[in-house]
Amino acid sequence: MATDSNILAAPLDGSSARLYAEVTGMLARFNAALQPKEAANEDHPITGPDTAEAEAALRIALVAMSEAQRRIERQEARIRELESLSVTDELTGLFNRRGFDMHLGKALAQARRGERHGAVMMIDLDRFKPINDTYGHAAGDGFLQAVAGVLLADVRECDVVARIGGDEFAVLMTDLEPASCGSRARTLTDRLNDHVFDWQGTLLPISASVGFVDYGADDTASEILERADKLMYLQKNARRSPAGFLN
């Protein structure tokens, strides 16, 4: 819990600062009105204008404090909203690259503390540009949202799905044994490549190249992403050749 000194030190915007000054002024008036006069004693309590002024000041101060609390709550809600927007992809609602990097950093810190393992998948859509060129950007946006939906539907609640570029996605799967990383990644890859997006009666199959790597306590974020990226592009190059599709 914050102390009074912390509260006083907290930055306030212009309107909040003015309100704070008004509240503290009213409380000072209230305290001054309650100070006993020299002539006052237990047999002759203070009544009259001083008491009325104190009660009025107290009521006004309470109203002002309630308003200050509401303003603070609105500011805190706005801060949370802005923080969420800074790590969220607006089109798909997934995490963006910044959000993904943040969660990957946390996962690696947990791995170092508890010898945990997991996997990272890098996903690049194949032949996405022709969709935009042929059917328009609305179709492309819908296609990306469909990809996001497929990925979200087949991961655990603790996993992280992100759109890290125009047609690039990433999945962070935490707390996985190394032996199960490959099977989970292959299952998600198959689900994604088996999906078909219906755009106004035209069926557009999703095709994606995927690279996945497992990670442990000794890995760094840059190494993981570089390895996954390389594997993803190897698969993309293989899929572009007739031999790659046969294999």
Side-chain angles (χ1 to χ4, degrees), residues 7-8 12 14-32 54 56-72:
I7 294 173
L8 292 174
L12 298 173
S15 59
S16 297
R18 287 191 297 272
L19 183 59
Y20 178 79
E22 293 172 5
V23 172
T24 53
M26 291 174 184
L27 290 176
R29 289 176 56 201
F30 173 68
N31 289 331
L58 179 59
R59 285 195 296 271
I60 295 172
L62 290 175
V63 171
M65 290 176 68
S66 297
E67 176 60 23
Q69 180 63 33
R70 286 193 291 270
R71 289 188 186 182
I72 291 171

Side-chain angles (χ1 to χ4, degrees), residues 13-114:
D13 61 18
S15 59
S16 297
R18 287 191 297 272
L19 183 59
Y20 178 79
E22 293 172 5
V23 172
T24 53
M26 291 174 184
L27 290 176
R29 289 176 56 201
F30 173 68
N31 289 331
L34 290 183
Q35 292 300 318
K37 306 297 183 180
E38 293 182 359
N41 55 49
E42 293 181 358
D43 296 328
H44 299 84
I46 297 295
T47 57
D50 288 336
T51 303
E53 181 181 357
E55 291 176 351
L58 179 59
R59 285 195 296 271
I60 295 172
L62 290 175
V63 171
M65 290 176 68
S66 297
E67 176 60 23
Q69 180 63 33
R70 286 193 291 270
R71 289 188 186 182
I72 291 171
E73 290 173 353
R74 289 196 295 268
Q75 287 181 348
E76 290 175 343
R78 180 57 176 163
I79 289 171
R80 289 193 295 270
E81 179 184 3
L82 292 174
E83 289 175 343
S84 175
L85 290 174
S86 71
V87 297
T88 303
D89 175 60
E90 183 177 0
L91 176 64
T92 62
L94 303 176
F95 286 106
N96 58 19
R97 182 59 184 258
R98 180 180 179 184
F100 182 80
D101 289 343
M102 178 183 68
H103 280 282
L104 179 57
K106 290 180 180 179
L108 291 176
Q110 292 174 348
R112 287 189 288 270
R113 288 196 298 268

